[in-house]
Amino acid sequence: MGSQEIGVVGAGPVGLRCATRLAEKGFSVKVFEDHGEVGTPVNCSGLISKSNTDSLGIPVKECTVNEIRGARIFAPNTTMLEVERKEPVAYVVDRAQYDKVHLKQAQDAGVQIQYHSRVIDARGGTLFVKVGERGEMEKSKVIVGADGVQSKVRKIMGFEPGSESFVHSIQMTAKGKFDPHFVEVHLGPFAPGYFAWVIPESKSVARMGLGFKVGTNPNEAFKKFIESRGFEVETCFHCSALIPCTPPMKNVVKENMALVGDAAMQAKATTGGGLILGAMAADILSESIIGHLKNGTALTQYEKNLKDLNKEFNLHWKIRQYFNALNEDQVNRLFIKAKKAGVEEFLSKEGDMDMPSKFIGKALARPRLFLLAPQLLRMALA
Ligand SMILES: Cc1cc2nc3c(=O)[nH]c(=O)nc-3n(C[C@H](O)[C@H](O)[C@H](O)COP(=O)(O)OP(=O)(O)OC[C@H]3O[C@@H](n4cnc5c(N)ncnc54)[C@H](O)[C@@H]3O)c2cc1C
């Protein structure tokens, strides 16, 4: 039987970051990964905010394929809000390479990675791992469930959210004509309860996708989107996956097990993005585990330490709920009102992809935005 201080389930970017932080502090860490390599299959558009990626110290130079300066957001009737900065605000990364950047950091810190190893159960500090056709047992003082949106560890802990807590997504790599500096967000009947997106890699290639309530036919929804918005594209690679869409989970710790990243439903309910806030949660979890193993602090301290980050997740959730409660006509009218109130100018200056708390309060202090006061208040009071 193998043994280490911390066993991490899942070699995604969040699990690898948490493992790296712990190994850097001298703990023995082993990561169990179901697949034979890190980074594949890719189920992601790879859009991450520049400011937070840089402040988290994630070295993305080698895996960046494009830089983005703004966003065009289309209402169902195609009224557009445009948010633009002079400097790049986001990176579009090669997601497989992005994960490999995290792998290198983990290996440099001394993390052990075991591939083709699917965790099938966990009890009393023992992980039951299926390695190829064999079964193995591994002892760990702490078990980190970083095994993604359909987390087995979450299930073992008994924290299983219902199907309404996810959106289904489909994504294509498409060839056509795109503005390489802007991402596009499209609201409409093709993406009930969510949205469609266009994230350019270049002038001629983009990642196009859409999310919708579980139960919608993905290919039909995508076809509807392309046709209704007049895109002339040729699609090649495509993938389909679930995205968490919930308020933050109250419980992410049980006994010696803790969840992080998509396994803990730590994705922004507005956009589905989970890379940046997931990395922040990984840092919080690693600090909490260090406190637990060094000073005997309860592992549930992690839930308390997530308080500030959860405020952001909660705000994303409130914004999502607010939009989902509007019908198409109300969204169209809201866009027109927002345009008149100067939202484009405001967001171009103050907007933040990850932390809505940074701009919602400021919006309330802007006399021009008083037109939107009822809507902003509802979000701010969240
Ligand atoms: C279509 C789509 C587009 C997206 N676009 C963006 C975007 O533009 N920007 C952004 O920030 N986020 C985006 N996301 C979300 C982002 O991909 C996730 O938030 C992110 O991958 C979460 O990282 P993670 O490490 O928690 O989980 P994952 O990346 O899912 O990694 C989990 C790992 O665990 C392994 N695993 C699973 N079960 C087991 C097991 N039982 N035993 C061992 N290993 C196991 C898996 O093989 C995997 O390697 C997108 C998601 C989708 C679906």
Side-chain angles (χ1 to χ4, degrees), residues 9-16 32-35 37-41 43-48 95 99 117-120 146-153 169-171 197 199 239-244 260-263 266-268 271-276 278:
V9 186
V14 177
L16 288 171
F32 301 91
E33 170 53 45
D34 191 10
H35 290 102
E37 68 170 316
V38 161
T40 52
N43 284 319
C44 183
S45 303
L47 184 74
I48 47 179
R95 175 58 205 271
D99 287 19
S117 299
R118 175 190 294 230
V119 169
I120 51 171
D147 48 343
V149 66
Q150 290 181 290
S151 171
K152 179 74 185 173
V153 180
S169 67
I170 183 165
Q171 185 178 264
W197 63 87
I199 298 180
C239 67
S240 159
L242 293 178
I243 301 179
V260 71
D262 273 16
Q266 287 163 340
K268 299 178 281 187
T271 64
L275 292 171
I276 291 300

Side-chain angles (χ1 to χ4, degrees), residues 78 85 127 274 377:
T78 70
R85 293 248 172 102
L127 281 169
L377 262 175

